[in-house]
Structures are given as structure tokens and as C-alpha cells.
Amino acid sequence: MTHFWSSLFFSQIGTKQWRYYDFGPKVVTPLICLPGTAGTADVYYKQIMCLSMKGYRVISVDIPCVWNHQEWIQSFEKFLDAIDVHHIHLYGTSLGGFLAQLFAQHRPRRVKSLILSNTFLETRSFAAAMPWAPFVSWTPSFLLKRYVLTGIRDGPHEPFIADSVDFVVSQVETLSRDELASRLTLTVDSASVKPLLLSDSFITIMDTNDYSAIPQQLKDQLSERYPGARRAYLKTGGDFPFLSRPDEVNLHLQLHLRRVGLEAQPELVQSIPKDGTGGGPSKENDKEDRDDEQKDNGGNPESNSDESQPSPSAPESSESHGLDEQLLSNAEIHYIDQKDSIILKPSAMSMNQHSAAAGILLQSTWEFFIFSLLPLYVDSLYIYSNNAWKLRQLV
């Protein structure tokens, strides 16, 4: 029986704190998961458990507080250097998919492949829909949360999609004002993805066909940009298919990784230490990691031509959903810096989702009242700044 291990890390790299999960054999080139505006590293726990048990290395990260796209590229590269990862496969959804493309554009030698889900190429339409974008960094936390939550489609949903929405809502409640403000700034700050050096054959576009917060026009633009990319369509799944349709998403992720030449190494899972330190960064495996990366270049991108048809998967039961959360709740938490590691007590990724949703519902009445005053708030700031400028002119 294989041993399941997990580690949560907080790493201070320069002025940025990175919170991330690192699972799986370190000699394998990792798949790094980037969440959307409302997500955290926790939302990919079903991919982490499935793929790491099969012998893949999976790293799921929180987007740190960065305030422009160039800062994101530099900060993410420093993060990879700090954990001794030289080449990566990126899986990004929504904002995470956009940031993944930007990194692949500016650091092409480090990105081996891309999996893009419900994402976009440019931010112009989001900036047009948010006229108060210049005041994001001054906006109170509860108004930012309210704005983010309005982008999540309200019910009715089928049970598994409803569960995924509840989970993401609970994650939004854990985000600080600066985290929310910085992510919204990245969404509306003017930028677009230029043509990539990465071949389309190393890109998979995975979208849901029912609905998404990303307009269909933007998803069509993405498909037109990468005409040779593999298509992976899910009939349903909403905005968070990695939670609501994990079996199908995990299957497409495995097919993609095999297609680009990265094979799982399940035999290495048996050798993971039982103290939970198997997922942590280590410099001694650097040579093996590079050898594996050279082997990774030998994949045949033209194989598996019939992979564009998603394979059917059995519906996940509620018992399985609860078991997944129970397994991940036994994770050991590690606080690390660039020099040492301290193992703390076992911790649970166990925020009560339904309680969080109920709390939001109870506050919705007064929050809506205050949110309706936001235009007046913005107008008052404008009038104040305008009068202050006139006063300075008179003086």
C-alpha cells in the first residue's frame, strides 16, 4: 500500500510570501497549478491526491500580493529558483491561466507545456467592466469579496457543482484585502499575451460547455490563438471543474502530461518518508531533476490523436468527496524559509464551507446596501482630489 503524504509550505522569498503545497517525487518535473481570482492553493486538492499517488509531482500555489504583471513574472521565477525547480508544466484556470501564459511568454525556456482552462488572452474587457478599477487598492475588504462573489454564478446547481461553489466561497473568505485587491488589479491592468515560442502541440485547452464566468468570446480568442492545441471539453462543470468533475479533469491532465513526454513514476511513491518531508524542497536531487527534464524533451507530441474526445467517468459520490477532504485534513503543515524547516502540529484544511456560505448570506443585506454606495464613494474621492488640485493651483 502506497503512503500518502502532504506538505503545506509558507516561504518568504524576497518581499513576497508564497503559500503552496508540494506533493510527489521530487525527481519528476512538476505540474504547477495556478488558481483563479477566487481560488487558493487548496482548490486543487483532488488533483494533488490523484496525480501524486500515481507518481507525478504536483505543486499548487497561492498567487501572492503582486501588483503588476512584470512583478508577477519576476516573483514567480524567484519562487521556482528558491525551490530548485528549473522546468515546469503549468495548469492555470481563469486568472491563473492568463498568468501562466504571460510567464511562458517571458520565460519560455522554463515552461515545458501549458494546460489552460476557462481563461483569456487579454484584460481589456475586464477593465471596461470595472470603471472603479483605479480605486481597487483603497476599497474595503468586504466590498472586494462581494464583487468577486458576484462573478460566481448563483444556483440552482447540480450537487457536485454546488459543492464546488461552496468550497470556493469558503476560500474567498480566507483571502485578505491586499490579496483580493492585487488579484483584481492583475485582472484589469492592461496586458495581453503575445505569441508564444512554445509549440501548440504542447498546449491543452480544457473548457466546460455549460457556463463560465469567462465570456465565450474570450475563450474563442484563446482557441484561435492556439489552433494546434489539443482540445479537452467537459460537458458540465461550471467555473470549477477541477472540483466538480475531478475524474475527467485528472484524466485530461494525465493524457496531456503523457502526450508531452512526462511519464508517471509510481515506484518512487513507495520510497516517500513517512514523516511527511518527502514533498519539501531539496538541493541534492537537482541533478536527477535536470536529467528527468532532459528526458522530458523526448516526448512525441503527435501521438494520441483521439485524445480530444473526453472519456466518460463515473460520477463521484458524496462519500468520496468527504473521504478526499478527510485525507487532506491529515496533512502536516511546515513553515519554511530559505534555510531551515520546522514541522508543526497536524492541521486540517477544514474551514466549514456551509458555515461560511451562511455567514455571507446573513451579511448580504447590509453589504448590499453599502455596496450600492460604492459609486458615491468613488465620486466623492474624485471630487475631493479635483478640489484639492484646484486649491493647490490657487495657492
Side-chain angles (χ1 to χ4, degrees), residues 25 27-28 54-56 262-269 292 295:
V27 296
V28 178
K54 293 180 181 295
Y56 293 102
L262 181 63
E263 294 292 337
Q265 299 190 34
E267 68 280 0
L268 298 180
V269 177
D292 183 74
K295 179 181 177 182

Side-chain angles (χ1 to χ4, degrees), residues 2-6 22-31 48-59 83-85 87 262-273 277-282 285-286 288-289 292-293:
T2 57
H3 175 69
F4 180 83
W5 81 105
S6 60
D22 190 350
F23 294 70
K26 287 189 58 57
V27 296
V28 178
T29 303
L31 172 68
I48 289 170
M49 289 190 297
C50 174
L51 297 181
S52 65
M53 293 300 292
K54 293 180 181 295
Y56 293 102
R57 183 181 180 186
V58 184
I59 300 174
I83 63 174
D84 289 322
V85 169
H87 295 89
L262 181 63
E263 294 292 337
Q265 299 190 34
E267 68 280 0
L268 298 180
V269 177
Q270 297 282 357
S271 63
I272 300 301
T277 60
S282 172
N285 289 324
D286 177 59
E288 293 177 296
D289 193 26
D292 183 74
E293 289 156 1

Side-chain angles (χ1 to χ4, degrees), residues 105-116:
Q105 174 190 327
H106 292 275
R107 301 293 186 270
R109 295 184 178 182
R110 305 197 77 153
V111 179
K112 310 286 284 184
S113 71
L114 291 172
I115 307 104
L116 307 173

Side-chain angles (χ1 to χ4, degrees), residues 36-233:
T37 305
T40 65
D42 300 44
V43 299
Y44 293 111
Y45 74 93
K46 294 188 177 183
Q47 286 65 54
I48 289 170
M49 289 190 297
C50 174
L51 297 181
S52 65
M53 293 300 292
K54 293 180 181 295
Y56 293 102
R57 183 181 180 186
V58 184
I59 300 174
S60 180
V61 304
D62 275 359
I63 300 173
C65 290
V66 294
W67 298 94
N68 59 68
H69 300 107
Q70 190 61 36
E71 186 182 10
W72 153 254
I73 294 165
Q74 295 173 355
S75 181
F76 189 51
E77 185 171 39
K78 290 179 181 179
F79 167 72
L80 296 179
D81 292 339
I83 63 174
D84 289 322
V85 169
H86 303 279
H87 295 89
I88 57 175
H89 302 270
L90 281 173
Y91 169 39
T93 62
S94 187
L95 174 61
F98 177 69
L99 296 178
Q101 293 174 86
L102 284 180
F103 189 78
Q105 174 190 327
H106 292 275
R107 301 293 186 270
R109 295 184 178 182
R110 305 197 77 153
V111 179
K112 310 286 284 184
S113 71
L114 291 172
I115 307 104
L116 307 173
S117 179
N118 291 338
T119 190
F120 48 92
L121 287 171
E122 49 87 17
T123 60
R124 184 173 50 205
S125 59
F126 298 106
M130 190 190 294
W132 50 278
F135 306 101
V136 164
S137 60
W138 300 347
T139 306
S141 177
F142 71 90
L143 290 179
L144 294 175
K145 290 180 180 179
R146 182 74 177 176
Y147 181 81
V148 171
L149 293 175
T150 57
I152 301 176
R153 180 177 174 179
D154 199 7
H157 298 295
E158 58 181 289
F160 299 121
I161 294 181
D163 287 345
S164 71
V165 170
D166 286 347
F167 187 85
V168 173
V169 167
S170 73
Q171 296 304 301
V172 173
E173 286 299 302
T174 69
L175 297 174
S176 68
R177 189 189 71 85
D178 284 346
E179 287 173 324
L180 287 167
S182 66
R183 295 183 186 191
L184 288 174
T185 300
L186 293 176
T187 303
V188 300
D189 193 20
S190 178
S192 62
V193 178
K194 303 298 188 295
L196 305 181
L197 295 180
L198 185 69
S199 170
D200 286 1
S201 60
F202 288 85
I203 299 175
T204 292
I205 298 175
M206 182 177 0
D207 285 333
T208 53
N209 287 336
D210 48 357
Y211 59 85
S212 169
I214 305 300
Q216 186 60 44
Q217 179 183 359
L218 298 184
K219 294 164 71 172
D220 291 341
Q221 288 178 1
L222 188 78
S223 296
E224 292 171 3
R225 170 65 64 86
Y226 309 117
R230 173 180 172 263
R231 302 299 194 274
Y233 294 113

Side-chain angles (χ1 to χ4, degrees), residues 143 146 365-377:
L143 290 179
R146 182 74 177 176
T365 301
W366 67 269
E367 283 190 3
F368 178 77
F369 174 74
I370 298 179
F371 189 70
S372 65
L373 297 179
L374 183 59
L376 297 177
Y377 171 72

